Amino acid sequence: MWPAGGCPLDSQIDTLAALCERGYANRIMLSHDKSSFMDWFSNAEVDPVLPDWRYTYIHDTVLPGLRDRG
């Protein structure tokens, strides 16, 4: 089962690592969308569906996964 965001994180990081290995690291920009404030839904409604939707997602999750892959 894929997460709400689409492709599983491990597959995304594997793809990023492969691109870096092939010399594309200087052409990649990592970015994500996170609202600093949203009043449409409460955190209690959003957190169960999108638990990784936070400002530090790339630093806390993606970059360590890339480092683990060399």
Side-chain angles (χ1 to χ4, degrees):
M1 179 87 177
W2 284 9
C7 186
L9 178 62
D10 281 338
S11 295
Q12 294 176 46
I13 295 175
D14 289 343
T15 299
L16 281 170
L19 289 169
C20 291
E21 288 173 4
R22 293 176 186 162
Y24 292 100
N26 65 341
R27 299 178 185 191
I28 297 172
M29 178 177 70
L30 300 178
S31 177
H32 60 85
D33 181 18
K34 168 64 172 139
S35 299
S36 58
F37 174 78
M38 180 177 63
D39 59 0
W40 303 337
F41 305 101
S42 69
N43 287 344
E45 294 170 302
V46 174
D47 291 346
V49 180
L50 299 168
D52 294 323
W53 200 46
R54 62 188 185 279
Y55 286 117
T56 60
Y57 180 71
I58 289 175
H59 292 93
D60 293 346
T61 309
V62 177
L63 294 179
L66 283 172
R67 286 186 198 106
D68 290 345
R69 288 162 176 78

